[in-house]
Amino acid sequence: MVSARPVAKRLAADGAAVALTFSVSAAQADEIVHSIKTAGGNALAIKAVAPETEAVRLAVAKTVGTFGSIDILVNNAGTGMFAPIEEFALKDFKKLIAVNVRGLFVSTQEAARQMREGGRIIHIGSTNSERMPLVGGSVYALTKGAVAGVTRGLARDLGPRGITVNNVQPGPIDTDANPADSDFANTLVPITALLRQYRRDREPCRLPCKFRSQLHHRRESVGRRRLRRMRLRNLKARIVNSHKHSRNTNQTMKSLRIAIIIGSTRPGRNGEAVAKWVYEIAHKRTDAEFELVDIKDFSLPLLDEPVPASMGQYSKPHTKTWAARIGSFDGYVFVTPEYNHSISGALKNAIDFLFAEWNDKAAGFVSYGGAGGARAVEQLRLVLAEVQIATVRNQVLLSMFTDFENFRVFKPDARHEQSVNAVFDQVIAWGGALKTLREKQAQEG
């Protein structure tokens, strides 16, 4: 495994602002950040366990909120476990897959959503993806082979956007987790080709930094002409073949991203159970991607931006993080309680922080309260109209008297599932149309 320390320091020395994630040792991460800042660089440490999807998403959002964008992603997290296949524990198998494969996929997916043309994604794989000299290394080799395979696929997927994807496959590296003077190293060195030694941990970082340096030396005009030719060929194919056109349209709909927003932060809230129920219904669908967004996770204070949101001049890190998260979606389903004939103060406050990120998107509602939350939704429609969100007609009204046991335990009537899907049908239809509008406006400048 390549140590994160030399890669982070080298990128910082080359002028990059570095966001470093860690799972266990905050002290080591803070030491790296301190050393970078002492040398005149800019760095940030964020706790995020690689396989945990929401933690990674928040880390990416925080990075974008702090630095303004993500131009380079280095996937360095990894772990290794070795045992004969007959003895390999299933829990260890799951951990290897989670860290080495799922974690890499989640971080790449989230970063790619934020990355602009010219971005660089670098995976730190292993030579064991192609050759395994040790007994008991089959599962580890499987995970590193997966990294190599997904790299090739991603290079094609992201190439048209001007984003390169590369996989660095080093041999044994002298790091804190795999020192050159360990018993394990003594086993590896005799079967290591050529040098018969561990590489120093600062040497492999040259390759990621070489890929990064291409940001400043790529030939813009050639890349853009190639991209235009590719888009023209795709356009001709869609015109000639109506079947392919329908399939591509369906794929566009599947690429829609819908947020299910929990609109309450109150301790003991019912909203979390309702939102998870909505998400479980959404998860059965295949026409869009759905994610839970809990405003409680963003710790937004009472609105503290000195400039109105409509000016787009966000100055606070928490605002930028919130903006990056909300801006990544094409539509929303708000799960809201009714407080005093209206929505919660926390939800209103969260909406007021942003403007452009809400514009020209669709929204639906799932509400709950003594009157089903109907009056809260009417208030929410007025608020969302001002930030240029189109709200759909269908809505789900959940009664505290019939859908909750003792007003606390959520037990919805089965008929509500059909109503939830009706809301999703409209939000997805409107969201797709408005996404086309936004893309057209972006092209026209």
Side-chain angles (χ1 to χ4, degrees), residues 110-239:
E110 196 62 25
R113 288 169 174 162
Q114 304 289 342
M115 198 169 280
R116 301 172 296 190
E117 180 180 357
R120 299 290 181 261
I121 297 176
I122 302 135
H123 300 151
I124 305 299
S126 169
T127 186
N128 292 143
S129 68
E130 298 180 4
R131 53 189 66 86
M132 173 49 70
L134 299 174
V135 174
S138 58
V139 178
Y140 180 76
L142 179 153
T143 64
K144 294 305 178 180
V147 172
V150 78
T151 301
R152 290 189 287 270
L154 287 170
R156 288 191 175 275
D157 291 347
L158 299 178
R161 290 174 50 190
I163 298 172
T164 65
V165 188
N166 289 279
N167 184 31
V168 180
Q169 297 192 157
I173 306 297
D174 182 13
T175 66
D176 294 339
N178 185 24
D181 58 358
S182 66
D183 292 339
F184 187 64
N186 293 333
T187 301
L188 285 179
V189 168
I191 57 176
T192 300
L194 298 179
L195 296 179
R196 295 289 194 271
Q197 66 181 29
Y198 267 33
R199 302 294 287 176
R200 290 172 295 176
D201 68 352
R202 68 175 179 272
E203 292 173 335
C205 78
R206 296 171 184 168
L207 276 174
C209 297
K210 179 180 179 181
F211 295 136
R212 180 260 177 193
S213 68
Q214 295 172 6
L215 282 166
H216 305 290
H217 300 290
R218 67 185 186 277
R219 293 185 292 178
E220 296 278 3
S221 58
V222 173
R224 288 175 180 173
R225 285 198 298 270
R226 185 179 296 122
L227 185 58
R228 282 198 296 271
R229 288 197 299 269
M230 185 177 297
R231 286 173 174 168
L232 182 60
R233 287 197 298 270
N234 290 341
L235 178 61
K236 289 179 179 178
R238 287 196 295 269
I239 292 173

Side-chain angles (χ1 to χ4, degrees), residues 407-428:
F407 303 99
R408 297 292 307 134
V409 180
F410 181 49
K411 292 187 176 181
D413 191 289
R415 62 186 172 84
H416 290 308
E417 181 168 347
Q418 183 177 353
S419 299
V420 172
N421 278 312
V423 170
F424 281 133
D425 289 342
Q426 289 191 336
V427 170
I428 291 168

Side-chain angles (χ1 to χ4, degrees), residues 179-425:
D181 58 358
S182 66
D183 292 339
F184 187 64
N186 293 333
T187 301
L188 285 179
V189 168
I191 57 176
T192 300
L194 298 179
L195 296 179
R196 295 289 194 271
Q197 66 181 29
Y198 267 33
R199 302 294 287 176
R200 290 172 295 176
D201 68 352
R202 68 175 179 272
E203 292 173 335
C205 78
R206 296 171 184 168
L207 276 174
C209 297
K210 179 180 179 181
F211 295 136
R212 180 260 177 193
S213 68
Q214 295 172 6
L215 282 166
H216 305 290
H217 300 290
R218 67 185 186 277
R219 293 185 292 178
E220 296 278 3
S221 58
V222 173
R224 288 175 180 173
R225 285 198 298 270
R226 185 179 296 122
L227 185 58
R228 282 198 296 271
R229 288 197 299 269
M230 185 177 297
R231 286 173 174 168
L232 182 60
R233 287 197 298 270
N234 290 341
L235 178 61
K236 289 179 179 178
R238 287 196 295 269
I239 292 173
V240 171
N241 193 325
S242 60
H243 173 68
K244 287 185 179 180
H245 174 77
S246 298
R247 186 172 58 194
N248 289 340
T249 301
N250 186 51
Q251 184 62 37
T252 300
M253 293 300 292
K254 287 185 179 180
S255 68
L256 285 176
R257 303 187 67 237
I258 308 298
I260 300 168
I261 299 178
I262 306 176
S264 170
T265 60
R266 181 181 62 82
R269 59 190 174 167
N270 290 314
E272 188 170 359
V274 176
K276 289 180 177 179
W277 169 72
V278 173
Y279 177 77
E280 289 172 0
I281 295 172
H283 195 62
K284 300 174 185 177
R285 302 176 66 106
T286 60
D287 49 356
E289 297 177 20
F290 302 90
E291 296 179 21
L292 278 175
V293 174
D294 191 345
I295 58 177
K296 186 177 182 180
D297 291 339
F298 295 84
S299 302
L300 295 171
L302 288 176
L303 183 59
D304 60 349
E305 286 288 344
V307 178
S310 58
M311 301 296 292
Q313 299 175 17
Y314 305 143
S315 62
K316 308 295 183 180
H318 51 258
T319 309
K320 294 177 181 178
T321 300
W322 177 236
R325 191 79 171 103
I326 290 301
S328 67
F329 293 102
D330 303 297
Y332 312 95
V333 171
F334 290 88
V335 176
T336 178
E338 180 175 316
Y339 294 163
N340 299 321
H341 289 211
S342 187
I343 60 176
S344 71
L347 178 56
K348 178 63 164 61
N349 186 60
I351 294 170
D352 290 345
F353 263 98
L354 309 178
F355 184 73
E357 290 73 17
W358 300 115
N359 291 177
D360 298 323
K361 297 179 182 179
F365 309 99
V366 176
S367 59
Y368 56 96
R375 294 165 296 198
V377 170
E378 291 307 305
Q379 292 287 328
L380 189 50
R381 289 184 188 275
L382 293 174
V383 173
L384 296 182
E386 185 60 23
V387 293
Q388 299 181 32
I389 285 183
T391 59
V392 303
R393 180 178 183 274
N394 286 336
Q395 65 188 68
V396 181
L397 303 175
L398 301 169
S399 171
M400 297 300 298
F401 299 101
T402 59
D403 294 304
F404 291 83
E405 185 177 279
N406 297 323
F407 303 99
R408 297 292 307 134
V409 180
F410 181 49
K411 292 187 176 181
D413 191 289
R415 62 186 172 84
H416 290 308
E417 181 168 347
Q418 183 177 353
S419 299
V420 172
N421 278 312
V423 170
F424 281 133
D425 289 342

